[in-house]
Amino acid sequence: MYRLGRVVSAVVSDRDAVGSSFSGTDVFKLTYLEGNSWLWDVGGLNILVDPILVGNLDFGIPWLYDAAKKFLKNFQLSELPEVNCLLITQNFDDHCHLKTLKPLSAMYPDLRVISTPNAREMLDPLFSNVTYLEPGQSSNIEAGNGSKVRIQATAGPVLGPPWQRPENGYLVISPQGLLRLYYEPHCVYNKSLLEKEHADIVITPVIKQLLPNFTLVSGQEDAVKLAKLLHAKFIVPMKNGDLDSKGLLASIIQSEGTVESFKELLYKELPDAQILEPTPGVPLEISPPSDLP
């Protein structure tokens, strides 16, 4: 049985790495669960993101692609803390994983869910409290202590014909508005919409995943442009292609770039930004700058 590890603190100010004096309502604790899966504790409110926690990822066609986690192989749903919200970015199996969502819905029949409308067909039979957000729309989640976390949808990739609705990315705003997090798991974004926003924390893939003549997941220079566009202070790189995979599709997916090559590109454009590499299962804590008024 796998248990989530100790918190690794990344509390900084604008000037140097120091402790924060805030009470905790605006602290993000980010736990990477491998693949596209995360558990975010935002001021005590637990948000489960694109979870794949039961069985492998195989899109229902394991001969084509079948992937298992490398580190959290024995992690169980029962080991999660109480979940307050489920956040879904896309309607595909690597984000909306029915083998995980079916038992999760049995555990939390009234769970608050925020999702792209593209996943309605999968989620409506399982959950009764679902809010579907189009890019630009937002919704609040209320914690037990009365504080509210705001989640705003952004435009992600179009994974289908050009007229199809884009999948979602999200901005997550802490209760007092002192920290803003941006997440989109393909590093695909609408520049004209995002340039009006900012995010202190950007979670993004940085290693490209390529098929012949097609980019599955972007990264590298595109991730640098994203961080610069949002004026990010912290970049949390995710290795969503780093799985034990087999099958025909797995054999032809190629990676391009490394975390180290991303760091070199980033520091040329954002020399003051910090890269915080997550360890699967270990919460990464980020607090607001301690020199805020």
Side-chain angles (χ1 to χ4, degrees):
M1 182 175 287
Y2 190 95
R3 299 221 175 263
L4 297 180
R6 291 183 178 178
V7 172
V8 174
S9 185
V11 183
V12 304
S13 77
D14 286 341
R15 295 179 299 229
D16 48 26
V18 297
S20 170
S21 60
F22 288 95
S23 64
T25 59
D26 276 44
V27 173
F28 280 78
K29 296 176 184 176
L30 312 174
T31 305
Y32 188 38
L33 301 176
E34 296 190 77
N36 296 309
S37 305
W38 291 85
L39 178 67
W40 301 336
D41 176 338
V42 186
L45 193 149
N46 290 315
I47 304 172
L48 185 62
V49 185
D50 288 352
I52 301 175
L53 299 173
V54 178
N56 284 7
L57 169 64
D58 61 18
F59 300 92
I61 39 176
W63 62 268
L64 184 64
Y65 186 83
D66 188 4
K69 296 185 176 185
K70 290 185 174 181
F71 303 102
L72 306 181
K73 297 179 180 180
N74 299 316
F75 188 86
Q76 303 291 319
L77 278 178
S78 59
E79 296 175 59
L80 289 170
E82 182 179 0
V83 177
N84 304 109
C85 179
L86 170 67
L87 190 63
I88 299 294
T89 61
Q90 300 182 16
N91 67 330
F92 293 95
D93 201 38
D94 53 337
H95 305 273
C96 190
H97 188 242
L98 290 180
K99 283 187 284 188
T100 296
L101 297 184
K102 287 178 180 178
L104 184 68
S105 68
M107 292 172 62
Y108 297 99
D110 300 318
L111 180 62
R112 178 73 189 280
V113 182
I114 294 178
S115 172
T116 168
N118 293 343
R120 184 186 298 272
E121 185 178 336
M122 282 78 77
L123 295 177
D124 275 357
L126 298 176
F127 298 98
S128 60
N129 188 13
V130 187
T131 302
Y132 295 105
L133 296 181
E134 300 278 2
Q137 295 180 335
S138 63
S139 185
N140 291 331
I141 311 167
E142 189 165 342
N145 58 10
S147 64
K148 294 180 180 179
V149 173
R150 183 160 66 92
I151 295 182
Q152 177 181 325
T154 64
V158 175
L159 300 175
W163 56 85
Q164 183 168 301
R165 175 194 292 110
E167 307 293 338
N168 279 359
Y170 294 102
L171 285 162
V172 181
I173 297 95
S174 62
Q176 297 180 51
L178 299 178
L179 278 179
R180 296 165 65 95
L181 176 148
Y182 172 81
Y183 174 68
E184 194 289 311
H186 280 217
C187 193
V188 176
Y189 48 92
N190 185 314
K191 181 180 178 182
S192 63
L193 294 178
L194 271 193
E195 64 187 1
K196 304 170 188 174
E197 305 289 350
H198 79 275
D200 307 282
I201 307 162
V202 169
I203 300 177
T204 182
V206 301
I207 299 170
K208 293 184 179 181
Q209 298 174 51
L210 308 173
L211 285 172
N213 302 313
F214 183 75
T215 300
L216 282 174
V217 175
S218 194
Q220 294 295 289
E221 66 279 356
D222 291 324
V224 172
K225 291 175 184 176
L226 172 64
K228 191 173 182 180
L229 183 68
L230 291 171
H231 309 286
K233 298 181 178 71
F234 310 101
I235 294 89
V236 181
M238 55 186 288
K239 299 179 180 179
N240 47 359
D242 189 21
L243 300 168
D244 285 330
S245 58
K246 58 186 178 182
L248 179 61
L249 186 62
S251 68
I252 60 175
I253 295 175
Q254 300 293 319
S255 297
E256 181 180 299
T258 63
V259 173
E260 291 304 317
S261 62
F262 169 74
K263 288 179 181 179
E264 293 178 8
L265 293 169
L266 179 72
Y267 289 145
K268 291 177 183 177
E269 300 291 334
L270 286 176
D272 294 329
Q274 295 193 41
I275 296 176
L276 306 174
E277 295 186 56
T279 299
V282 180
L284 180 67
E285 182 175 311
I286 304 175
S287 295
S290 62
D291 50 3
L292 284 173

